[in-house]
């Protein structure tokens, strides 16, 4: 039963959720990825990298206004490298 409880713990960990979201995203399973990012962000709403990941999947799904919102929130987190900031600016230009 120890194994079960530790598995449940992992599923409630925002790091685990975001890691799983990134794997789904790489497989182009964007709807599921967006859901996992959303779950992670409920626990840690200021994570710029996860907001960016959610924006990427939302954009892939054609949910452009939600993607713009996620990218803007990612920028506002002030937690991203210059490269990621530039990437987000590029995505926001695409979405305009």
């Amino acid at each position: 039963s120890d194994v079960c409880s530790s598995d449940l713990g992992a599923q409630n960990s925002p790091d685990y959720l975001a890691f799983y979201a990134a794997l789904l995203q790489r497989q182009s399973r964007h709807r599921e990825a967006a859901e996992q990012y959303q779950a992670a962000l409920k626990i840690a709403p200021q994570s710029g990298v996860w907001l960016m990941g959610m924006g990427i999947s939302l954009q892939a799904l054609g949910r452009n206004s939600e993607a713009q919102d996620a990218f803007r929130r990612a920028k506002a987190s002030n937690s991203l490298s210059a490269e990621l900031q530039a990437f987000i600016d590029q995505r926001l230009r695409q979405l305009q």
Side-chain angles (χ1 to χ4, degrees), residues 5 12 16 46 56 58 65 74 91:
S5 59
N12 293 325
Y16 172 86
Q46 295 307 312
I56 291 167
L58 290 168
S65 67
R91 288 293 179 120

Side-chain angles (χ1 to χ4, degrees), residues 31-91:
R31 191 182 51 75
E32 293 163 273
E35 285 168 9
Q36 296 297 320
Y37 278 123
Q38 216 155 18
L41 286 160
K42 277 197 182 108
I43 305 165
Q46 295 307 312
S47 171
V49 173
W50 301 347
L51 285 160
M52 182 185 74
M54 191 162 83
I56 291 167
S57 281
L58 290 168
Q59 185 179 9
L61 292 165
R63 289 161 62 180
N64 289 353
S65 67
E66 290 170 85
Q68 272 179 315
D69 182 53
F71 286 134
R72 286 200 188 103
R73 284 172 57 204
K75 267 188 81 162
S77 74
N78 290 320
S79 61
L80 298 173
S81 67
E83 290 92 347
L84 293 181
Q85 291 274 14
F87 172 81
I88 286 176
D89 287 335
Q90 181 189 354
R91 288 293 179 120

